[in-house]
Amino acid sequence: MRVALKLAYIGTEFHGSQIQPNVETIEGELFKALRNLGIIESPKSANYTCAGRTDAGVHALEQVVAFDTDKPGLAIPRIINSELPPAIWAWAHAEVPRSFDARRDAVSRHYRYVMAGKEYDISRIREASKLLLGTHDFENFSRTNGEKSTIRTIERINVRVDGDLTKIDVVGNSFLWNMVRKIVTALSMIGKGVRDNDWLLQMLNPDIYEEGIEPAPAYGLTLLKVNYDEKMGWIEDNYSIRRASNLNQKHILRHRVMAEVLEELNSHE
């Protein structure tokens, strides 16, 4: 039987989602859990696929993976979570066709970037974001990683202010390495008045204009959702969702206290 999982994770302590030697990664922890439980022997023999890579420090709410197993009764979130560290949790599963490929069958990905500060002209950011919609060559917004083509399609960009935070949602068919974070850098530069829309149009024409820009910090980026054409029949595990929510609430309270402590340490009064 082929099983798909929805995974969420806090990426702060991991060197990205894709397995790498000698460092902690999301897939490294997942494969270890699946092997320990006897769900798979190896990713290759299980025909494992993943909806997409996330960089070191990037988070996910709805990363999708799929694999073959002869123990589908064990391939459910609450059992898998018993072998995963608290920063990674499965929260839904589905039986899928043998041909299902979590990456190739995905029709779009939805990312959200959260950045702090009030120094941005939001109307400028919104106006500039319209120039990115549609199909463009995003070579200037990526790190080369052997991709055959740097042409991608962005379906939607929403920008909104939430208190002291600015949230940028980007939906596209697929994304290059660092692409979302570099788009955020470009939009924030325009929002600060450092660059303008003419510059952004040049950046979308790498044949005649080339410029490298730094990606926005990884900690602000979350993969929110991966969309598929077919109905997947997801079964959510309410116990796993409640458990993760309780653990995360403790993290939230700790970070709120730490923010206050840092504010006091920064005070010169």
Side-chain angles (χ1 to χ4, degrees):
M1 183 177 293
R2 190 157 181 78
V3 173
L5 293 177
K6 285 185 180 181
L7 294 177
Y9 47 84
I10 302 167
T12 307
E13 303 301 324
F14 297 96
H15 292 260
S17 61
Q18 190 174 37
I19 193 166
Q20 303 173 53
N22 305 319
V23 293
E24 291 186 344
T25 65
I26 303 301
E27 286 186 345
E29 296 296 329
L30 177 63
F31 296 161
K32 189 186 343 179
L34 295 176
R35 280 193 295 259
N36 287 348
L37 292 163
I39 295 171
I40 67 171
E41 291 185 6
S42 71
K44 186 175 182 180
S45 66
N47 193 24
Y48 170 88
T49 59
C50 176
R53 296 185 300 249
T54 53
D55 297 339
V58 173
H59 324 290
L61 174 62
E62 199 169 307
Q63 175 71 276
V64 177
V65 303
F67 50 84
D68 298 336
T69 180
D70 58 4
K71 296 182 179 178
L74 296 179
I76 60 175
R78 67 183 64 189
I79 292 178
I80 294 170
N81 290 341
S82 69
E83 292 286 332
L84 287 173
I88 309 171
W89 61 99
W91 60 273
H93 76 286
E95 295 179 11
V96 293
R98 280 282 187 175
S99 61
F100 177 76
D101 186 305
R103 181 174 68 86
R104 290 189 174 90
D105 290 345
V107 294
S108 66
R109 283 92 171 160
H110 179 178
Y111 283 89
R112 174 173 294 161
Y113 195 91
V114 180
M115 57 185 186
K118 296 181 177 180
E119 69 271 26
Y120 307 101
D121 186 325
I122 298 302
S123 61
R124 280 185 180 176
I125 291 178
R126 285 177 175 149
E127 194 63 32
S129 70
K130 295 175 184 176
L131 301 176
L132 298 170
L133 298 177
T135 303
H136 304 281
D137 189 337
F138 286 94
E139 184 177 348
N140 280 326
F141 295 88
S142 69
R143 287 177 62 185
T144 56
N145 194 32
E147 291 92 349
K148 293 180 180 178
S149 172
T150 50
I151 294 173
R152 295 291 187 274
T153 299
I154 293 183
E155 301 169 9
R156 177 166 59 90
I157 300 181
N158 289 338
V159 183
R160 64 187 174 94
V161 177
D162 185 359
D164 291 337
L165 302 173
T166 299
K167 298 181 179 181
I168 302 177
D169 283 49
V170 185
V171 179
N173 64 337
S174 64
F175 293 90
L176 301 163
W177 193 13
N178 285 174
M179 179 174 158
V180 176
R181 290 163 57 198
K182 290 198 174 195
I183 283 174
V184 169
T185 295
L187 292 176
S188 64
M189 290 167 74
I190 291 172
K192 291 178 180 178
V194 176
R195 297 295 174 92
D196 58 19
N197 287 358
D198 289 338
W199 168 77
L200 187 61
L201 288 171
Q202 283 184 306
M203 289 286 286
L204 290 171
N205 197 346
D207 287 339
I208 62 172
Y209 184 82
E210 183 178 337
E211 180 179 345
I213 56 176
E214 288 296 315
Y219 62 77
L221 184 62
T222 302
L223 172 60
L224 280 190
K225 188 174 178 60
V226 182
N227 298 303
Y228 296 89
D229 276 338
E230 304 140 2
K231 283 196 170 184
M232 298 283 288
W234 291 108
I235 300 171
E236 295 186 1
D237 188 318
N238 291 324
Y239 169 77
S240 295
I241 292 171
R242 284 196 307 271
R243 180 175 175 272
S245 178
N246 291 338
L247 289 172
N248 288 337
Q249 197 60 39
K250 293 178 182 178
H251 285 301
I252 291 169
L253 292 173
R254 182 176 183 275
H255 284 296
R256 283 178 179 163
V257 170
M258 280 303 300
E260 185 64 26
V261 169
L262 292 172
E263 287 287 354
E264 290 177 358
L265 292 174
N266 204 35
S267 173
H268 296 285
E269 296 179 5

